Amino acid sequence: MTRTQPQTSLPPSLLPTLAGRYYTDPAVFAAEQEKIFEQLWFCAVRSADLPVAGDFRTVQIGRESVLVSRARDGSLRAFLNICRHRGATLCTQESGSVKRSFQCPYHAWTYGLDGKLIAAPNLASMPDIDRTEYGLHTVHLREWLGYAWVCLAASPPSFEQDVRGAVIERLGDLASIERYRTEELSVGRRITYDVKANWKLIVENFMECYHCATIHPELTEVLPEFADGYAAQYYVGHGAEFGESVDGFTIDGGSGFERLDGVAAEQDRRYYAITIRPQVFVNLVPDHVIFHRMYPLAVDRTVVECDWLYSPEVVASGRDVSKSVELFHRVNEQDFDACERCQPGMSSRAYVDGGVLMPSEHHIGEFHAWVSGLVAES
Ligand code: FES
Ligand code: FE
């Protein structure tokens, strides 16, 4: 039987990947849920999806169901979606709208939009019950780039460092992303992908472009430098330039829409990709932004929600966004197919010791060290 080379004897050009069990072992996934998704800032919903008081969405974060809703004062709130009485799931729908309260379908405990317990059968005869004390458990929430980021940790890590810092690390500054004013853009299209692969395979794939020439013919047509295998994320501040004959970031390179207000001239005709660990990818092009949120649901299953964001005028006027949506939708399908093709291999004896990273992928090693460091922490 052929064994993979012991990882200690790799030639200098190669770095080791994580071992196969990191992608298949439910115990590793449980540790990631606890140490990563339930500890770090997690991008949960697009704020504008909940425009009116009472609008809500439930999302799975680590082992928890989290309820994000719009309160009467107009702010977004996040709570654990669990009734304080006997633990029933409060909202069973993925999204919806309530008039003024959330009522548990089991014994009818009722919570205000601020999470406070406002009614329960026989509650009036029990003045010793503190309605705030028995309200829903609050989850930390911050809004940035038009999205609500939540954190389940009692003391959240620094949002500046972990979330905004990731963008600075990639682009060199915050202005380079804030110029796209993503919070003011409208969703032109949203596609949800149910990917039968571990979330780390999706992150690793997004971080490298060694695969671009093989699986992304349309993308490399628009961004010829990607054919060399070096991802835009490889160099700080670098945006991949459109090909000379390319007019826009569209499936056939035909023209897109007007450059978004505020986007700098030096960012025109360029594509920037940013990974915000653990579960967000942002893609910036002159006339739109593509924003991915991953929801890791099992060791071998990840739901990815992808928003194509355009200027409100483009969306309101009903202009055809399909040519630009089609380009990255195809890229997504090509990438997720590749990830799904790797997932079964992760449990093969051929991958017990993992694989190797080529030089254009070496930066993925830092992601591996980050994951294994967090998971190993006691
Ligand atoms: Fe919710 Fe009883 S479990 S009211
Ligand atoms: Fe790709």
Side-chain angles (χ1 to χ4, degrees):
M1 187 179 85
T2 339
R3 287 276 299 167
T4 48
Q5 274 207 318
Q7 301 287 303
T8 45
S9 65
L10 289 176
S13 303
L14 300 178
L15 290 179
T17 69
L18 293 173
R21 67 182 179 83
Y22 271 84
Y23 305 85
T24 58
D25 185 347
V28 171
F29 185 67
E32 290 170 345
Q33 288 183 308
E34 193 186 330
K35 306 278 180 47
I36 296 178
F37 305 118
E38 295 171 21
Q39 285 298 320
L40 305 181
W41 287 101
F42 189 104
C43 188
V45 305
R46 179 139 181 95
S47 306
D49 287 346
L50 310 176
V52 175
D55 290 349
F56 70 87
R57 167 111 191 241
T58 55
V59 290
Q60 187 70 27
I61 302 179
R63 295 160 299 181
E64 301 286 0
S65 172
V66 174
L67 170 63
V68 184
S69 68
R70 180 78 62 188
R72 295 223 159 277
D73 65 2
S75 64
L76 282 179
R77 308 287 177 92
F79 309 102
L80 295 182
N81 185 24
I82 298 296
C83 180
R84 295 296 308 282
H85 175 223
R86 297 255 304 284
T89 300
L90 184 60
C91 287
T92 49
Q93 290 166 270
E94 198 178 278
S95 63
S97 194
V98 294
K99 276 219 157 47
R100 55 180 68 85
S101 59
F102 295 102
Q103 188 175 65
C104 177
Y106 195 179
H107 313 88
W109 278 36
T110 305
Y111 304 89
L113 299 180
D114 57 0
K116 195 172 155 189
L117 179 64
I118 53 175
N122 311 330
L123 184 66
S125 60
M126 291 172 278
D128 58 330
I129 296 179
D130 181 321
R131 294 177 182 216
T132 304
E133 178 69 23
Y134 285 90
L136 298 174
H137 280 293
T138 304
V139 173
H140 299 278
L141 184 146
R142 290 282 296 265
E143 287 181 80
W144 191 48
L145 303 177
Y147 288 83
W149 308 66
V150 302
C151 182
L152 289 161
S155 308
S158 163
F159 190 86
E160 301 307 315
Q161 202 173 308
D162 283 14
V163 181
R164 293 193 221 258
V167 174
I168 295 172
E169 204 174 294
R170 165 71 188 93
L171 296 179
D173 56 36
L174 279 182
S176 298
I177 196 167
E178 290 181 337
R179 286 192 204 108
Y180 291 79
R181 298 193 199 146
T182 45
E183 63 286 356
E184 292 170 18
L185 302 181
S186 298
V187 177
R189 189 75 59 86
R190 170 171 295 164
I191 300 179
T192 302
Y193 305 84
D194 196 335
V195 187
K196 307 282 180 292
N198 183 270
W199 68 280
K200 296 188 295 298
L201 289 177
I202 300 174
V203 174
E204 293 160 10
N205 172 81
F206 188 76
M207 291 178 74
E208 54 96 355
C209 205
Y210 189 45
H211 66 269
C212 288
T214 329
I215 71 172
H216 296 318
E218 302 86 359
L219 183 67
T220 44
E221 205 50 55
V222 173
L223 305 172
E225 67 187 79
F226 273 14
D228 299 337
Y230 283 86
Q233 303 199 47
Y234 194 82
Y235 312 99
V236 175
H238 177 71
E241 197 164 11
F242 292 4
E244 262 174 42
S245 56
V246 168
D247 290 324
F249 198 75
T250 58
I251 188 66
D252 56 5
S255 59
F257 304 105
E258 298 75 28
R259 191 166 88 195
L260 293 169
D261 287 345
V263 171
E266 68 268 21
Q267 288 178 300
D268 201 7
R269 298 182 55 77
R270 284 184 186 271
Y271 162 87
Y272 298 85
I274 306 144
T275 305
I276 305 176
R277 294 185 299 216
Q279 42 82 248
V280 170
F281 310 137
V282 190
N283 306 273
L284 306 171
V285 289
D287 62 336
H288 64 285
V289 172
I290 305 152
F291 200 104
H292 295 75
R293 279 165 287 150
M294 290 197 296
Y295 299 92
L297 298 184
V299 71
D300 56 359
R301 182 179 172 214
T302 309
V303 166
V304 185
E305 202 166 288
C306 184
D307 291 341
W308 279 260
L309 307 170
Y310 298 88
S311 81
E313 298 74 40
V314 164
V315 175
S317 66
R319 288 169 75 184
D320 183 13
V321 297
S322 61
K323 277 189 153 192
S324 59
V325 169
E326 183 60 21
L327 176 55
F328 223 87
H329 171 55
R330 218 173 275 192
V331 169
N332 282 338
E333 290 193 314
Q334 292 157 342
D335 281 332
F336 300 152
D337 275 357
C339 295
E340 290 187 341
R341 210 154 43 239
C342 288
Q343 183 64 35
M346 298 297 106
S347 48
S348 163
R349 67 189 77 181
Y351 211 75
V352 167
D353 296 326
V356 293
L357 298 172
M358 291 289 280
S360 60
E361 304 168 297
H362 278 185
H363 56 296
I364 294 174
E366 199 263 322
F367 170 66
H368 291 155
W370 178 80
V371 169
S372 49
L374 286 174
V375 166
E377 271 174 26
S378 54

